[in-house]
């Protein structure tokens, strides 16, 4: 009997070892780094001095905005309606989780691949050529930039050298001064992102009128490149929106990656640039892309009221609202309130009034209603 | 069983060939509408179709039958009368199941490519990234995909082996193994259990498309290998514990 007992030892030991490895493997990855002490200003200067132009990496984006999962709906809402499809694909990018690979070689050459199950969406910029490719729909959009354009440069790359460029230190202190009335900038604990040691800048709004609790930016200690952005809703310990590198290499990616030609059998649309740039292709790329950008893109010139974190963007949609309100997505997401409908997420509220105005901001919905009523 | 698997791509290809009306109809599994443009896609499409049910079904049959089948026909004790260790018997049985996994995936893939060659035009292949690669490289990638899926089935084979040591009824072991794979896939669809998903052996099954990207995304290959090895280790150890202590009566 004793020998029988012995033979069960591996059956107990091996699963135990596997579990231990699985658990400690996760802990080891988040072990904190040992970096020289810096002030927030020095870290900001580091960001300003960042000269990373060529890199390739994998971005992980996840968001928990409190919206229902629309991935099932978006495929059903039909590709016949172009604007509906654009809205649902923007929503799909803003909710849920995505993995994207990003390749950059200077500001002029960029490729972003959003990896879906058994499919992929690509955005490629090579000089003046812009391509958007969707392997699931087998469609491609091609556009040519006017000779100088900057629409597709990623938020990560340093600003172009136009005119007198202030030194990173000046920029950092200027930025700190300008944000200080509304925002407290401090340094959080050091962290490791994509295997690189990073400082974390914590921006905390000073006002209570916003849904945003804090924003954390991980800054690579070596190059000053932002590696991760996390946005926390007020009173929440888990990030509501998060985008960051899970892998990063500073080698120049292979040049033929930027040399894109759609495969045979693809439906290619040539687009005029005037009505492009509505966040369709850059959703996976721009960590700073905010829902309020997407909300304001089709109305007549938006007005901004309020200051800092509590500011509210207002725009008049005009035209026929039934096209929007009859969309099944709309009734799924929005809740009717007095004088309109509210789309409430963890970070952003959007109010569509019955008289065709759209108000959006990182504020509670009541403030939007007050602002709408004040007019 | 391999013949039945080979029938999957043939059926797909013939059905598409007969109903082809010159325009890509929407719907259906991924890559289906590309077959008419390029026959090499038949193999990939057939794998997409076969992964959820047909491949686990056949692997479940083979792995579930491995030990319980011998017990069921009364040959297990004769096997063990000869000086063969029980570990060695288990290892050989698992190796046989692994070889079957490879044979099954290769069968689907190769049959798909052959029928595609026969019925449709063939040319350079468009990857999901939109880049185009030559026929030779696409065949290489097909081979990689077959290896990836074989790897992905090893965890299920180990589970089947373990279940097979529990019972003397081979049908029960086969059914239980297939049920496990279906339950794992159903759980993988429930967003409420999202925390559990990365631990399911089915989690990386459809990520083989990462091998169709340009450049190839190897991370899922590695993650899949680690996950499956963990399953093999855990259920191999459990199977050993059960089989080494079992009284072989049949």
């Amino acid at each position: 009997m004793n020998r029988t007992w012995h033979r069960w030892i591996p059956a107990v030991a091996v699963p135990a070892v596997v579990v231990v490895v699985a658990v400690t493997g996760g802990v080891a990855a988040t072990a904190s780094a040992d970096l020289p002490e810096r002030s927030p200003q020095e870290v900001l200067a580091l960001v300003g001095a960042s000269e990373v132009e060529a890199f390739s990496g994998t971005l992980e984006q996840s968001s928990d905005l409190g919206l229902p999962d629309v991935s099932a709906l978006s495929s059903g809402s039909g590709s016949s309606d172009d604007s509906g499809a654009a809205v649902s694909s923007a929503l799909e990018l803003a909710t849920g989780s995505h993995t994207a690979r990003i390749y950059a070689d200077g500001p002029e050459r960029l490729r972003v691949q959003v990896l879906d199950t058994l499919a992929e969406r690509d955005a490629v910029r090579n000089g003046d050529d812009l391509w958007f490719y969707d392997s699931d729909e087998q469609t491609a959009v091609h556009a040519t930039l006017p000779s100088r354009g900057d629409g597709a440069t990623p938020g990560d790359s340093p600003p172009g050298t136009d005119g007198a460029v202030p030194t990173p230190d000046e920029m950092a202190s200027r930025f700190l001064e300008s944000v200080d009335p509304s925002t407290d900038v401090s340094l959080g604990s050091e962290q490791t992102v994509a295997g690189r040691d990073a400082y974390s800048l914590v921006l905390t709004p000073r006002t209570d009128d916003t849904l945003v609790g804090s924003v954390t930016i991980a800054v690579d200690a070596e190059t000053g490149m932002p590696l991760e952005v996390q946005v926390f809703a007020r009173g929440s310990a888990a990030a509501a929106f998060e985008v960051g590198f899970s892998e990063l290499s500073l080698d120049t990616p292979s040049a033929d990656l930027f040399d894109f030609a759609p495969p045979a059998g693809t439906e290619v649309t040539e687009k005029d640039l005037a009505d492009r740039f509505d966040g369709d292709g850059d959703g996976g790329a721009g960590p700073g892309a905010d829902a309020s950008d997407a909300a304001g893109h089709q109305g007549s010139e938006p007005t901004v009221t309020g200051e800092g974190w509590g500011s509210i963007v207002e725009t008049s949609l005009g035209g026929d609202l039934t096209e929007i309100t009859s969309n099944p997505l709309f009734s799924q997401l929005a809740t009717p309130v007095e004088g309109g409908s509210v789309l409430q997420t963890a970070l952003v509220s959007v109010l569509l009034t019955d008289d065709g105005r759209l108000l959006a901001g990182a504020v509670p919905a009541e403030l939007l209603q007050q602002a709408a009523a004040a007019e | 069983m391999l013949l039945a698997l080979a029938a999957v791509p043939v059926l797909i290809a013939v059905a598409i060939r007969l109903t082809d009306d010159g325009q890509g109809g929407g719907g259906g599994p991924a890559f289906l509408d590309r077959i008419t443009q390029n026959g090499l896609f038949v193999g990939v499409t057939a794998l997409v179709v076969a992964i959820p049910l047909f491949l686990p079904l056949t692997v479940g049959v083979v792995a579930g039958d491995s030990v319980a089948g011998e017990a069921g026909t009364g040959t297990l004790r004769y096997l063990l009368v000869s000086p063969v260790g029980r570990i060695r018997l288990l290892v050989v049985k698992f190796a046989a199941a692994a070889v079957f996994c490879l044979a099954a995936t290769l069968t689907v893939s190769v049959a798909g490519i052959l029928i595609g060659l026969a019925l449709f035009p063939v040319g350079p292949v468009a990857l999901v990234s939109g880049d185009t690669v030559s026929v030779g490289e696409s065949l290489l990638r097909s081979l990689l995909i077959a290896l990836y899926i074989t790897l992905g089935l090893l965890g299920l084979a180990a589970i089947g082996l373990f279940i097979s040591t529990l019972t003397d009824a081979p049908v029960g072991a086969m059914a239980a193994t297939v049920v496990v794979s279906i339950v794992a896939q159903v759980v993988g669809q429930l967003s409420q259990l999202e925390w559990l998903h990365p631990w399911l052996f089915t989690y990386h099954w459809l990520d083989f498309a990462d091998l169709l990207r340009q450049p190839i995304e190897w991370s899922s290959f590695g993650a899949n290998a680690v996950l499956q090895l963990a399953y093999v280790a855990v259920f191999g150890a459990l199977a050993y514990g059960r089989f080494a202590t079992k009284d072989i009566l049949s």
Side-chain angles (χ1 to χ4, degrees), chain B residues 17-70:
Chain B
R17 183 75 194 159
L18 291 180
T19 59
D20 182 23
D21 50 1
Q23 56 179 20
F31 308 122
L32 190 66
D33 46 354
R34 299 199 180 182
I35 289 177
T36 49
Q37 297 153 18
N38 197 329
L40 293 176
F41 273 108
V42 178
V44 181
T45 312
L47 282 175
V48 175
V49 173
I51 280 179
L53 185 60
F54 295 115
L55 284 175
L57 192 70
T58 51
V59 170
V61 167
V62 168
D65 185 58
S66 55
V67 176
E70 302 277 5

Short mmCIF file of all heavy atoms in Angstrom, two decimals, chain B residues 17-70:
data_model
loop_
_atom_site.label_atom_id
_atom_site.label_comp_id
_atom_site.label_asym_id
_atom_site.label_seq_id
_atom_site.Cartn_x
_atom_site.Cartn_y
_atom_site.Cartn_z
N ARG B 17 -17.13 25.08 -55.57
CA ARG B 17 -16.97 25.01 -57.02
C ARG B 17 -18.33 24.95 -57.72
O ARG B 17 -18.57 25.60 -58.73
CB ARG B 17 -16.15 23.76 -57.37
CG ARG B 17 -15.86 23.61 -58.82
CD ARG B 17 -14.79 24.56 -59.24
NE ARG B 17 -14.71 24.67 -60.69
CZ ARG B 17 -14.16 25.70 -61.30
NH1 ARG B 17 -13.65 26.68 -60.59
NH2 ARG B 17 -14.10 25.76 -62.60
N LEU B 18 -19.25 24.17 -57.14
CA LEU B 18 -20.55 23.97 -57.78
C LEU B 18 -21.42 25.21 -57.65
O LEU B 18 -22.22 25.50 -58.53
CB LEU B 18 -21.26 22.77 -57.16
CG LEU B 18 -20.62 21.41 -57.48
CD1 LEU B 18 -21.40 20.29 -56.83
CD2 LEU B 18 -20.56 21.21 -58.99
N THR B 19 -21.30 25.92 -56.53
CA THR B 19 -22.20 27.05 -56.30
C THR B 19 -21.57 28.37 -56.69
O THR B 19 -22.18 29.41 -56.50
CB THR B 19 -22.61 27.12 -54.83
OG1 THR B 19 -21.42 27.25 -54.05
CG2 THR B 19 -23.35 25.88 -54.39
N ASP B 20 -20.35 28.33 -57.19
CA ASP B 20 -19.66 29.58 -57.50
C ASP B 20 -20.41 30.36 -58.57
O ASP B 20 -20.59 29.89 -59.69
CB ASP B 20 -18.24 29.26 -57.99
CG ASP B 20 -17.48 30.53 -58.28
OD1 ASP B 20 -17.84 31.57 -57.71
OD2 ASP B 20 -16.52 30.47 -59.06
N ASP B 21 -20.84 31.55 -58.19
CA ASP B 21 -21.57 32.35 -59.17
C ASP B 21 -20.76 33.58 -59.57
O ASP B 21 -21.31 34.58 -60.02
CB ASP B 21 -22.93 32.77 -58.61
CG ASP B 21 -22.81 33.38 -57.23
OD1 ASP B 21 -21.67 33.47 -56.75
OD2 ASP B 21 -23.84 33.74 -56.66
N GLY B 22 -19.48 33.51 -59.37
CA GLY B 22 -18.63 34.58 -59.85
C GLY B 22 -18.47 35.75 -58.91
O GLY B 22 -17.66 36.62 -59.14
N GLN B 23 -19.24 35.77 -57.83
CA GLN B 23 -19.04 36.85 -56.86
C GLN B 23 -18.92 36.26 -55.47
O GLN B 23 -19.58 35.30 -55.13
CB GLN B 23 -20.20 37.83 -56.92
CG GLN B 23 -21.55 37.17 -56.71
CD GLN B 23 -22.66 38.18 -56.74
OE1 GLN B 23 -22.49 39.26 -57.25
NE2 GLN B 23 -23.79 37.83 -56.16
N GLY B 24 -18.04 36.85 -54.68
CA GLY B 24 -17.82 36.32 -53.35
C GLY B 24 -19.02 36.60 -52.46
O GLY B 24 -19.29 37.73 -52.11
N GLY B 25 -19.75 35.56 -52.11
CA GLY B 25 -20.88 35.74 -51.20
C GLY B 25 -20.35 35.92 -49.78
O GLY B 25 -19.41 35.27 -49.38
N GLY B 26 -20.97 36.78 -48.98
CA GLY B 26 -20.50 37.00 -47.62
C GLY B 26 -20.86 35.84 -46.72
O GLY B 26 -21.44 34.85 -47.14
N GLY B 27 -20.48 35.95 -45.46
CA GLY B 27 -20.81 34.93 -44.48
C GLY B 27 -19.90 33.73 -44.58
O GLY B 27 -18.94 33.70 -45.34
N GLY B 28 -20.20 32.72 -43.76
CA GLY B 28 -19.39 31.53 -43.76
C GLY B 28 -18.11 31.72 -42.97
O GLY B 28 -17.82 32.81 -42.50
N PRO B 29 -17.34 30.65 -42.82
CA PRO B 29 -16.10 30.76 -42.05
C PRO B 29 -15.08 31.66 -42.73
O PRO B 29 -15.21 31.99 -43.92
CB PRO B 29 -15.61 29.32 -41.98
CG PRO B 29 -16.37 28.57 -42.98
CD PRO B 29 -17.61 29.31 -43.27
N ALA B 30 -14.08 32.04 -41.97
CA ALA B 30 -13.04 32.93 -42.48
C ALA B 30 -12.38 32.32 -43.70
O ALA B 30 -12.26 31.10 -43.81
CB ALA B 30 -12.00 33.18 -41.39
N PHE B 31 -11.94 33.13 -44.60
CA PHE B 31 -11.19 32.76 -45.80
C PHE B 31 -12.04 32.04 -46.85
O PHE B 31 -11.56 31.78 -47.94
CB PHE B 31 -9.99 31.86 -45.47
CG PHE B 31 -9.10 32.40 -44.41
CD1 PHE B 31 -8.86 31.67 -43.26
CD2 PHE B 31 -8.51 33.64 -44.55
CE1 PHE B 31 -8.05 32.18 -42.27
CE2 PHE B 31 -7.69 34.14 -43.58
CZ PHE B 31 -7.45 33.41 -42.43
N LEU B 32 -13.32 31.72 -46.52
CA LEU B 32 -14.11 30.91 -47.44
C LEU B 32 -14.25 31.59 -48.79
O LEU B 32 -14.11 30.95 -49.84
CB LEU B 32 -15.50 30.67 -46.84
CG LEU B 32 -16.36 29.64 -47.56
CD1 LEU B 32 -15.72 28.27 -47.44
CD2 LEU B 32 -17.76 29.59 -47.00
N ASP B 33 -14.49 32.91 -48.77
CA ASP B 33 -14.75 33.60 -50.02
C ASP B 33 -13.48 33.81 -50.85
O ASP B 33 -13.54 34.32 -51.94
CB ASP B 33 -15.45 34.94 -49.76
CG ASP B 33 -14.79 35.71 -48.64
OD1 ASP B 33 -13.88 35.14 -48.01
OD2 ASP B 33 -15.19 36.85 -48.38
N ARG B 34 -12.33 33.43 -50.29
CA ARG B 34 -11.09 33.62 -51.06
C ARG B 34 -10.73 32.39 -51.87
O ARG B 34 -9.81 32.43 -52.68
CB ARG B 34 -9.93 33.92 -50.13
CG ARG B 34 -10.17 35.17 -49.35
CD ARG B 34 -8.88 35.67 -48.83
NE ARG B 34 -9.11 36.88 -48.08
CZ ARG B 34 -8.15 37.58 -47.53
NH1 ARG B 34 -6.91 37.16 -47.64
NH2 ARG B 34 -8.42 38.65 -46.87
N ILE B 35 -11.44 31.31 -51.61
CA ILE B 35 -11.04 30.06 -52.24
C ILE B 35 -11.12 30.17 -53.75
O ILE B 35 -10.24 29.69 -54.47
CB ILE B 35 -11.92 28.91 -51.72
CG1 ILE B 35 -11.55 28.62 -50.28
CG2 ILE B 35 -11.76 27.69 -52.57
CD1 ILE B 35 -12.37 27.56 -49.65
N THR B 36 -12.18 30.84 -54.24
CA THR B 36 -12.34 30.89 -55.68
C THR B 36 -11.19 31.64 -56.34
O THR B 36 -10.88 31.39 -57.49
CB THR B 36 -13.65 31.60 -56.04
OG1 THR B 36 -13.72 32.82 -55.31
CG2 THR B 36 -14.84 30.74 -55.70
N GLN B 37 -10.55 32.54 -55.58
CA GLN B 37 -9.43 33.26 -56.17
C GLN B 37 -8.14 32.47 -56.09
O GLN B 37 -7.24 32.63 -56.90
CB GLN B 37 -9.21 34.60 -55.45
CG GLN B 37 -10.38 35.55 -55.59
CD GLN B 37 -10.43 36.49 -54.42
OE1 GLN B 37 -9.47 36.67 -53.71
NE2 GLN B 37 -11.58 37.10 -54.21
N ASN B 38 -8.03 31.64 -55.04
CA ASN B 38 -6.79 30.94 -54.85
C ASN B 38 -7.04 29.61 -54.14
O ASN B 38 -7.49 29.57 -53.01
CB ASN B 38 -5.83 31.80 -54.02
CG ASN B 38 -4.41 31.32 -54.14
OD1 ASN B 38 -4.18 30.13 -54.32
ND2 ASN B 38 -3.48 32.23 -54.05
N GLY B 39 -6.76 28.52 -54.84
CA GLY B 39 -7.05 27.20 -54.31
C GLY B 39 -6.29 26.86 -53.05
O GLY B 39 -6.71 25.99 -52.29
N LEU B 40 -5.16 27.56 -52.81
CA LEU B 40 -4.37 27.22 -51.63
C LEU B 40 -5.10 27.55 -50.34
O LEU B 40 -4.73 27.09 -49.28
CB LEU B 40 -3.03 27.97 -51.68
CG LEU B 40 -2.10 27.51 -52.80
CD1 LEU B 40 -0.85 28.36 -52.83
CD2 LEU B 40 -1.75 26.05 -52.64
N PHE B 41 -6.16 28.36 -50.45
CA PHE B 41 -6.90 28.70 -49.24
C PHE B 41 -7.80 27.57 -48.76
O PHE B 41 -8.32 27.61 -47.65
CB PHE B 41 -7.76 29.95 -49.46
CG PHE B 41 -7.01 31.22 -49.19
CD1 PHE B 41 -6.63 32.04 -50.22
CD2 PHE B 41 -6.67 31.56 -47.89
CE1 PHE B 41 -5.92 33.19 -49.97
CE2 PHE B 41 -5.96 32.71 -47.64
CZ PHE B 41 -5.58 33.53 -48.68
N VAL B 42 -8.03 26.55 -49.62
CA VAL B 42 -8.92 25.46 -49.21
C VAL B 42 -8.38 24.80 -47.95
O VAL B 42 -9.12 24.50 -47.02
CB VAL B 42 -9.07 24.43 -50.34
CG1 VAL B 42 -9.96 23.29 -49.89
CG2 VAL B 42 -9.66 25.09 -51.57
N GLY B 43 -7.06 24.59 -47.90
CA GLY B 43 -6.47 23.94 -46.73
C GLY B 43 -6.72 24.73 -45.46
O GLY B 43 -7.14 24.18 -44.44
N VAL B 44 -6.50 26.05 -45.53
CA VAL B 44 -6.69 26.88 -44.34
C VAL B 44 -8.16 26.89 -43.93
O VAL B 44 -8.50 26.75 -42.75
CB VAL B 44 -6.19 28.31 -44.62
CG1 VAL B 44 -6.35 29.17 -43.39
CG2 VAL B 44 -4.74 28.28 -45.03
N THR B 45 -9.05 27.08 -44.92
CA THR B 45 -10.47 27.12 -44.61
C THR B 45 -10.91 25.81 -43.97
O THR B 45 -11.66 25.80 -42.99
CB THR B 45 -11.28 27.36 -45.89
OG1 THR B 45 -10.69 28.44 -46.59
CG2 THR B 45 -12.71 27.67 -45.57
N ALA B 46 -10.43 24.69 -44.52
CA ALA B 46 -10.82 23.40 -43.97
C ALA B 46 -10.35 23.27 -42.52
O ALA B 46 -11.07 22.72 -41.68
CB ALA B 46 -10.22 22.27 -44.83
N LEU B 47 -9.17 23.80 -42.23
CA LEU B 47 -8.70 23.74 -40.84
C LEU B 47 -9.59 24.58 -39.93
O LEU B 47 -9.93 24.16 -38.81
CB LEU B 47 -7.25 24.22 -40.75
CG LEU B 47 -6.22 23.18 -41.19
CD1 LEU B 47 -4.83 23.78 -41.18
CD2 LEU B 47 -6.26 21.97 -40.29
N VAL B 48 -9.99 25.76 -40.41
CA VAL B 48 -10.89 26.60 -39.61
C VAL B 48 -12.17 25.84 -39.29
O VAL B 48 -12.69 25.88 -38.18
CB VAL B 48 -11.20 27.91 -40.34
CG1 VAL B 48 -12.22 28.72 -39.56
CG2 VAL B 48 -9.95 28.72 -40.54
N VAL B 49 -12.67 25.13 -40.31
CA VAL B 49 -13.91 24.38 -40.12
C VAL B 49 -13.68 23.18 -39.20
O VAL B 49 -14.52 22.85 -38.36
CB VAL B 49 -14.45 23.91 -41.49
CG1 VAL B 49 -15.64 22.98 -41.31
CG2 VAL B 49 -14.84 25.10 -42.33
N ALA B 50 -12.51 22.54 -39.34
CA ALA B 50 -12.29 21.27 -38.64
C ALA B 50 -11.87 21.47 -37.18
O ALA B 50 -12.08 20.58 -36.36
CB ALA B 50 -11.22 20.46 -39.38
N ILE B 51 -11.28 22.63 -36.86
CA ILE B 51 -10.74 22.81 -35.51
C ILE B 51 -11.79 22.67 -34.40
O ILE B 51 -11.56 21.97 -33.42
CB ILE B 51 -10.00 24.16 -35.40
CG1 ILE B 51 -8.61 24.02 -36.01
CG2 ILE B 51 -9.85 24.60 -33.95
CD1 ILE B 51 -7.83 25.29 -35.98
N PRO B 52 -12.95 23.30 -34.51
CA PRO B 52 -13.85 23.24 -33.37
C PRO B 52 -14.37 21.84 -33.07
O PRO B 52 -14.55 21.49 -31.92
CB PRO B 52 -15.00 24.17 -33.75
CG PRO B 52 -14.47 25.00 -34.86
CD PRO B 52 -13.48 24.15 -35.57
N LEU B 53 -14.64 21.03 -34.10
CA LEU B 53 -15.28 19.76 -33.83
C LEU B 53 -14.53 18.55 -34.39
O LEU B 53 -14.19 17.64 -33.63
CB LEU B 53 -16.72 19.78 -34.39
CG LEU B 53 -17.52 18.52 -34.03
CD1 LEU B 53 -17.61 18.37 -32.52
CD2 LEU B 53 -18.90 18.58 -34.63
N PHE B 54 -14.24 18.54 -35.68
CA PHE B 54 -13.75 17.31 -36.28
C PHE B 54 -12.40 16.87 -35.71
O PHE B 54 -12.22 15.70 -35.36
CB PHE B 54 -13.63 17.47 -37.81
CG PHE B 54 -14.95 17.67 -38.47
CD1 PHE B 54 -15.26 18.85 -39.10
CD2 PHE B 54 -15.91 16.67 -38.43
CE1 PHE B 54 -16.49 19.04 -39.69
CE2 PHE B 54 -17.14 16.86 -39.02
CZ PHE B 54 -17.43 18.04 -39.65
N LEU B 55 -11.47 17.81 -35.60
CA LEU B 55 -10.16 17.42 -35.09
C LEU B 55 -10.23 16.96 -33.62
O LEU B 55 -9.71 15.89 -33.30
CB LEU B 55 -9.16 18.57 -35.28
CG LEU B 55 -8.66 18.74 -36.71
CD1 LEU B 55 -7.79 19.97 -36.84
CD2 LEU B 55 -7.89 17.51 -37.16
N PRO B 56 -10.89 17.73 -32.72
CA PRO B 56 -11.00 17.22 -31.35
C PRO B 56 -11.72 15.88 -31.28
O PRO B 56 -11.38 15.02 -30.47
CB PRO B 56 -11.82 18.31 -30.63
CG PRO B 56 -11.65 19.51 -31.44
CD PRO B 56 -11.45 19.07 -32.85
N LEU B 57 -12.71 15.70 -32.16
CA LEU B 57 -13.46 14.45 -32.16
C LEU B 57 -12.53 13.27 -32.45
O LEU B 57 -12.49 12.28 -31.71
CB LEU B 57 -14.55 14.53 -33.22
CG LEU B 57 -15.62 13.45 -33.20
CD1 LEU B 57 -16.49 13.61 -31.99
CD2 LEU B 57 -16.47 13.53 -34.46
N THR B 58 -11.75 13.39 -33.50
CA THR B 58 -10.88 12.26 -33.85
C THR B 58 -9.77 12.07 -32.83
O THR B 58 -9.43 10.94 -32.47
CB THR B 58 -10.28 12.48 -35.25
OG1 THR B 58 -9.68 13.77 -35.30
CG2 THR B 58 -11.32 12.38 -36.32
N VAL B 59 -9.22 13.18 -32.34
CA VAL B 59 -8.18 13.06 -31.31
C VAL B 59 -8.77 12.43 -30.05
O VAL B 59 -8.14 11.57 -29.42
CB VAL B 59 -7.56 14.45 -31.00
CG1 VAL B 59 -6.67 14.37 -29.78
CG2 VAL B 59 -6.77 14.93 -32.19
N GLY B 60 -9.98 12.83 -29.70
CA GLY B 60 -10.64 12.24 -28.54
C GLY B 60 -10.83 10.75 -28.71
O GLY B 60 -10.63 9.97 -27.77
N VAL B 61 -11.21 10.33 -29.91
CA VAL B 61 -11.40 8.91 -30.15
C VAL B 61 -10.09 8.15 -29.97
O VAL B 61 -10.01 7.14 -29.27
CB VAL B 61 -11.97 8.68 -31.57
CG1 VAL B 61 -11.88 7.21 -31.96
CG2 VAL B 61 -13.40 9.16 -31.64
N VAL B 62 -9.02 8.68 -30.58
CA VAL B 62 -7.74 7.98 -30.51
C VAL B 62 -7.19 7.96 -29.09
O VAL B 62 -6.80 6.92 -28.55
CB VAL B 62 -6.74 8.62 -31.49
CG1 VAL B 62 -5.33 8.10 -31.22
CG2 VAL B 62 -7.14 8.33 -32.91
N ALA B 63 -7.20 9.14 -28.44
CA ALA B 63 -6.62 9.23 -27.10
C ALA B 63 -7.48 8.48 -26.08
O ALA B 63 -6.96 7.79 -25.19
CB ALA B 63 -6.45 10.69 -26.69
N GLY B 64 -8.79 8.61 -26.21
CA GLY B 64 -9.68 7.93 -25.27
C GLY B 64 -9.57 6.43 -25.39
O GLY B 64 -9.72 5.68 -24.42
N ASP B 65 -9.31 5.97 -26.60
CA ASP B 65 -9.24 4.54 -26.85
C ASP B 65 -7.91 3.95 -26.39
O ASP B 65 -7.80 2.74 -26.18
CB ASP B 65 -9.43 4.28 -28.35
CG ASP B 65 -9.50 2.80 -28.67
OD1 ASP B 65 -10.40 2.14 -28.11
OD2 ASP B 65 -8.67 2.33 -29.45
N SER B 66 -6.90 4.80 -26.19
CA SER B 66 -5.53 4.30 -26.07
C SER B 66 -5.36 3.25 -24.98
O SER B 66 -4.84 2.17 -25.25
CB SER B 66 -4.57 5.47 -25.86
OG SER B 66 -4.99 6.22 -24.75
N VAL B 67 -5.77 3.55 -23.78
CA VAL B 67 -5.61 2.59 -22.69
C VAL B 67 -6.91 1.82 -22.46
O VAL B 67 -6.92 0.60 -22.33
CB VAL B 67 -5.16 3.30 -21.39
CG1 VAL B 67 -5.09 2.30 -20.25
CG2 VAL B 67 -3.81 3.95 -21.61
N ALA B 68 -8.01 2.55 -22.43
CA ALA B 68 -9.29 1.91 -22.16
C ALA B 68 -9.63 0.89 -23.23
O ALA B 68 -10.28 -0.13 -22.95
CB ALA B 68 -10.39 2.97 -22.06
N GLY B 69 -9.20 1.13 -24.46
CA GLY B 69 -9.48 0.20 -25.54
C GLY B 69 -8.80 -1.13 -25.30
O GLY B 69 -9.40 -2.20 -25.49
N GLU B 70 -7.53 -1.05 -24.86
CA GLU B 70 -6.80 -2.28 -24.54
C GLU B 70 -7.50 -3.00 -23.40
O GLU B 70 -7.65 -4.23 -23.41
CB GLU B 70 -5.36 -1.95 -24.13
CG GLU B 70 -4.56 -1.21 -25.18
CD GLU B 70 -3.96 -2.14 -26.21
OE1 GLU B 70 -4.25 -3.35 -26.15
OE2 GLU B 70 -3.20 -1.66 -27.08
#
